[in-house]
Every structure is written in structure tokens, then in C-alpha cells.
């Protein structure tokens, strides 16, 4: 059996991998190079799926830029270098479609990653994550290692960070809607509801990433998305349906919209896996909401 180490194993994506060695910050703080080396020493993996990162939604990314920059630079530098030192030949790490240039031709294609500055709302996170791409390409070139990156769009699912201020839009909305329903209060949504996003269920990301670990060998990243845009308004309405929320929904124009859209070109993933069945948003949301109800209040937030 392959020994696969998953960093960030307590997180949204990391918790989806079966039959792997999953570690979280409780065991090893990857900001510290010595602890990162110890993680490899203790677990002796053959392969690495590197999910650990400082991750947040629009609020987290805009208000804690220093933390997002520093932690992501350190975690990626440490993990990728320690993997090299320990002779790991095959590693996959995560980028995100939100780190692409803000002013760029749409739909986003893999080769556009470095073609301009990211959106100001998350530029610190974006530049730090872009450096993982630079590091991995450099290591592939200099050391001949089969290291690569995947680039998912907005991910959602069980085990997410449901923080109301720093979480991504879907987990924050699930938490807000739960509270509004419980307390019989209105539901407040940031911005106009017009921005468009593509959403992917966490287990789909894990399945595609596992495939990439063993089958994807290009130095350029690969976008993971179903390529289907939904407005925030559409998502709120679908969620209200799933959670049977009948209260008032109020859009807060004084709160940020962030990037208006970031549609993706999915020809690469379709070329490799033309028959992959993405989880429909309504099914993914139903599973996530179910998980939330079963775990509240013991959720990450
Ligand atoms: P997540 O749910 O926030 O999980 C982050 C994981 O990283 C947790 O297991 C956390 O451990 C670990 N971690 C954070 N700081 C650490 C440290 N200093 N030392 C060790 N572990 C640390 O993140 P996710 O949403 O699963 O994201 C996985 C990857 O996908 C990330 O690289 C992210 O950038 C990328 N991505 C995410 C999205 C999205 O919408 N969520 C979209 C595109 C790309 P603890 O639980 O112990 O803190
Ligand atoms: P992004 O895709 O990187 O911008 O990050 P998010 O997952 O945080 O999505 C942000 C989009 O959802 C923006 O258009 C926000 O205006 C909208 N949104 C609406 N309500 C919320 C909320 O409660 N939390 C978050 N994070 N975003 C919200």
C-alpha cells in the first residue's frame, strides 16, 4: 500500500482522503522547519498531498493580509523543501483560482496565472500562493522531482471553517442561515448578490487531486472546476431551499462584493477526465448542511 501523507488533514479538503496519514497543526506546526522535518521523520511517507495553508474568505483575506502572506510563504517553503530533503519524488500542492490576475481575459486558463496583479482584496494571499507554483516548477527543473499543483475554484463541504467573518461564502452563509432560522431574525448577505462564482464539492476536489498525484505530470497547474458559474443570489436561494429558510434576506450594499467573476476554462481537466461526474450543488449543499446540523456547535469557526 502507498504511504500518502496529507498535510492539513483536519481541514475541508484534507479530511476527505481515505487510507492516508493525515496530520494537522496540533501535531506539527509547519511554520517551523524543524517540526516540518520531524513530521517526515515520524511518518516516513512515499507521497505527499499538501493541503495545509492559512485559508479564508473575502473577510479573512482582506483584514489579515500580513498573516496570510507570512504563514503561506513559510508553510509552503518548509513543506516542499522538507519533502525534497526526505527524497519524496511525488507531491501535489494547492493553488486557487482566486490568486489569478484581477484584470485578465476570461475564462481563466492555467497559463494566465502570473499575467498581472491579483485582486487587491486578497493580493497578499495570492502572491504567497503564486510562489508555491514558482517553487514547485524550480524544484521540478533543478531536481527532476514530480511535484505539481492543482487549482480548484471555491470549495465547500463538511469540516469547513464556518466563521462568520473570515470563512468562505458558503460556510458563512450556512452558519448565518442556521442562526437566523433559530433566532427568527433576518439573514444578511454581503454585497449585491451579483458576483459570480464556481463551486466545487470537497470530495470531488479530493478525488481529482488523488488522480492528479498519480497521473498528472505537467509543470503547469491544472484547474479543477465544473466550469459552471452561479451568482451569490442563486446560491442564497438554493441554500434557503435546502435549509427551508423562510425569513427575510437582506443584501448589504455597504459590504464588499470582491471580484465580480472569475470563470474558468476547464478544457484541460475535461481532456484528462472527460467522464468525471461533479457533485451537483444542491446535493453537495444538502450533505454539508446535514453535517453542520449534526456537528453544531462543535464546528470550526
Ligand atoms: P482549511 O479547511 O482551512 O484547512 C487548513 C488546514 O491547514 C487545516 O488542517 C489546518 O490545521 C492546517 N494548517 C493551517 N496552518 C497550519 C500550520 N501552521 N501548521 C500545520 N497545519 C496548518 O483549508 P482547505 O479549504 O481545506 O484548503 C486546502 C487547500 O486548498 C489550501 O491550500 C487552500 O489554499 C486551497 N484552496 C481552498 C479553497 C477553498 O475554497 N476552501 C479554494 C481553492 C484552493 P488545523 O486544523 O490544526 O488548524
Ligand atoms: P472569494 O471567492 O475569494 O471572493 O471569497 P468568498 O468565498 O469569501 O466569496 C465572496 C463573495 O461572496 C463576495 O461576492 C461576497 O460579497 C459574497 N458574500 C456574501 N455574503 C458573504 C458572507 O457572509 N461571507 C463571505 N465570505 N462572502 C459573502
Amino acid at each position: 500500500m502507498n504511504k500518502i501523507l496529507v498535510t492539513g488533514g483536519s481541514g475541508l479538503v484534507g479530511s476527505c482522503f481515505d487510507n492516508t496519514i493525515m496530520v494537522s497543526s496540533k501535531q506539527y506546526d509547519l511554520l517551523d522547519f524543524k517540526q516540518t522535518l520531524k513530521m517526515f521523520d515520524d511518518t516516513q511517507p512515499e507521497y505527499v498531498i499538501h493541503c495545509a495553508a492559512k485559508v479564508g474568505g473575502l473577510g479573512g483575506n482582506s483584514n489579515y493580509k500580513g498573516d496570510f502572506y507570512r504563514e503561506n510563504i513559510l508553510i509552503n517553503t518548509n513543506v516542499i523543501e522538507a519533502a525534497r530533503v526526505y527524497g519524496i519524488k511525488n507531491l501535489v500542492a494547492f493553488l486557487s483560482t482566486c490568486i489569478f490576475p484581477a484584470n485578465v481575459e476570461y475564462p481563466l486558463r492555467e497559463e494566465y496565472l502570473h499575467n498581472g496583479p491579483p485582486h487587491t482584496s486578497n493580493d497578499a494571499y495570492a502572491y504567497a500562493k503564486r510562489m508555491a507554483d514558482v517553487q514547485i516548477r524550480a524544484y521540478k527543473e533543478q531536481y527532476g522531482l514530480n511535484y505539481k499543483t492543482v487549482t480548484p475554484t471555491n470549495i465547500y463541504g463538511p469540516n469547513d471553517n464556518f466563521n462568520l467573518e473570515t470563512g468562505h461564502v458558503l460556510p458563512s452563509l450556512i452558519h448565518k442561515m442556521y442562526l437566523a432560522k433559530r433566532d427568527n431574525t433576518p439573514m444578511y448577505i454581503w454585497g449585491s448578490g451579483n458576483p459570480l462564482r464556481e463551486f466545487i464539492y470537497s470530495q470531488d476536489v479530493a478525488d481529482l487531486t488523488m488522480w492528479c498525484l498519480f497521473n498528472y505530470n505537467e509543470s503547469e497547474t491544472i484547474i479543477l472546476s465544473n466550469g459552471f458559474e452561479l451568482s451569490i443570489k442563486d446560491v442564497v436561494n438554493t441554500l434557503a431551499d435546502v435549509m427551508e429558510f423562510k425569513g427575510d434576506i437582506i443584501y448589504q450594499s455597504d459590504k464588499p462584493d470582491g471580484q465580480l467573476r472569475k470563470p474558468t476554462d476547464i478544457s484541460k481537466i475535461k481532456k484528462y477526465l472527460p467522464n468525471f461526474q461533479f457533485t451537483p450543488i444542491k446535493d453537495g449543499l444538502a450533505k454539508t448542511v446535514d453535517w453542520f446540523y449534526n456537528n453544531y456547535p462543535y464546528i470550526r469557526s
Side-chain angles (χ1 to χ4, degrees), residues 8-14 24-26 28-31 51-53 55 75 94-96 125 129 152-155 159 168 300:
S10 53
L12 169 65
V13 178
S24 79
S25 68
K26 311 266 173 315
Y28 307 99
D29 182 357
L30 302 175
L31 297 172
C51 300
V55 184
I75 291 172
F94 286 80
L95 308 180
S96 166
Y125 171 79
K129 291 291 271 187
T153 65
N154 291 46
I155 311 169
N159 272 312
H168 282 107
R300 279 199 304 147

Side-chain angles (χ1 to χ4, degrees), residues 77-98:
T77 308
N78 288 342
V79 169
I80 297 165
E81 171 61 4
R84 181 192 73 78
V85 169
Y86 273 86
I88 305 296
K89 304 242 171 347
N90 197 347
L91 169 150
V92 61
F94 286 80
L95 308 180
S96 166
T97 54
C98 72

Side-chain angles (χ1 to χ4, degrees), residues 215-289:
N215 302 285
Y216 184 72
N217 304 314
E218 294 183 30
S219 43
E220 184 180 79
T221 193
I222 179 166
I223 289 174
L224 307 182
S225 176
N226 57 15
F228 188 67
E229 283 188 295
L230 283 175
S231 72
I232 298 298
K233 230 174 243 164
D234 288 337
V235 163
V236 170
N237 292 338
T238 309
L239 190 61
D241 223 24
V242 168
M243 294 183 76
E244 297 177 352
F245 178 76
K246 310 257 185 292
D248 288 336
I249 295 175
I250 296 167
Y251 287 87
Q252 299 173 288
S253 54
D254 58 324
K255 297 274 189 189
D257 265 341
Q259 225 162 315
L260 218 52
R261 59 190 295 239
K262 39 186 174 176
T264 56
D265 180 330
I266 57 166
S267 17
K268 197 191 262 195
I269 187 73
K270 278 194 100 165
K271 182 186 80 185
Y272 280 109
L273 290 171
N275 299 320
F276 186 82
Q277 296 292 312
F278 287 91
T279 304
I281 182 105
K282 205 156 178 186
D283 298 354
L285 277 181
K287 285 185 198 172
T288 309
V289 167

Side-chain angles (χ1 to χ4, degrees), residues 34-139:
K34 283 205 182 109
Q35 289 194 40
T36 312
L37 289 172
K38 185 168 184 329
M39 171 181 76
F40 280 91
D41 226 6
D42 292 349
T43 58
Q44 298 286 322
E46 271 178 73
Y47 302 93
V48 176
I49 299 178
H50 171 40
C51 300
K54 173 86 172 165
V55 184
L58 182 55
N61 270 296
S62 319
N63 296 325
Y64 301 96
K65 287 191 180 186
D67 295 346
F68 275 71
Y69 178 80
R70 177 177 161 273
E71 293 188 27
N72 284 304
I73 285 282
L74 284 173
I75 291 172
N76 289 331
T77 308
N78 288 342
V79 169
I80 297 165
E81 171 61 4
R84 181 192 73 78
V85 169
Y86 273 86
I88 305 296
K89 304 242 171 347
N90 197 347
L91 169 150
V92 61
F94 286 80
L95 308 180
S96 166
T97 54
C98 72
I99 71 170
F100 271 65
N103 293 313
V104 71
E105 195 182 317
Y106 288 134
L108 298 175
R109 293 175 55 83
E110 285 84 356
E111 64 259 36
Y112 301 165
L113 177 60
H114 297 283
N115 287 1
H119 194 264
T120 49
S121 60
N122 73 343
D123 48 7
Y125 171 79
Y127 277 122
K129 291 291 271 187
R130 284 187 194 184
M131 288 309 110
D133 177 69
V134 172
Q135 191 182 0
I136 276 175
R137 282 169 184 260
Y139 278 40

Side-chain angles (χ1 to χ4, degrees), residues 174-230:
I174 290 171
H175 194 173
K176 277 194 206 170
M177 206 171 263
Y178 169 84
L179 296 175
K181 198 172 162 184
R182 186 193 68 185
D183 303 338
N184 207 12
T185 52
M187 163 88 187
Y188 291 96
I189 316 288
W190 297 355
S192 62
N194 296 328
L196 301 171
R197 293 289 184 272
E198 294 173 8
F199 293 96
I200 183 168
Y201 188 56
S202 52
Q203 189 61 53
D204 293 352
V205 174
D207 293 347
L208 290 167
T209 301
M210 192 58 96
W211 182 89
C212 286
L213 179 69
F214 293 110
N215 302 285
Y216 184 72
N217 304 314
E218 294 183 30
S219 43
E220 184 180 79
T221 193
I222 179 166
I223 289 174
L224 307 182
S225 176
N226 57 15
F228 188 67
E229 283 188 295
L230 283 175

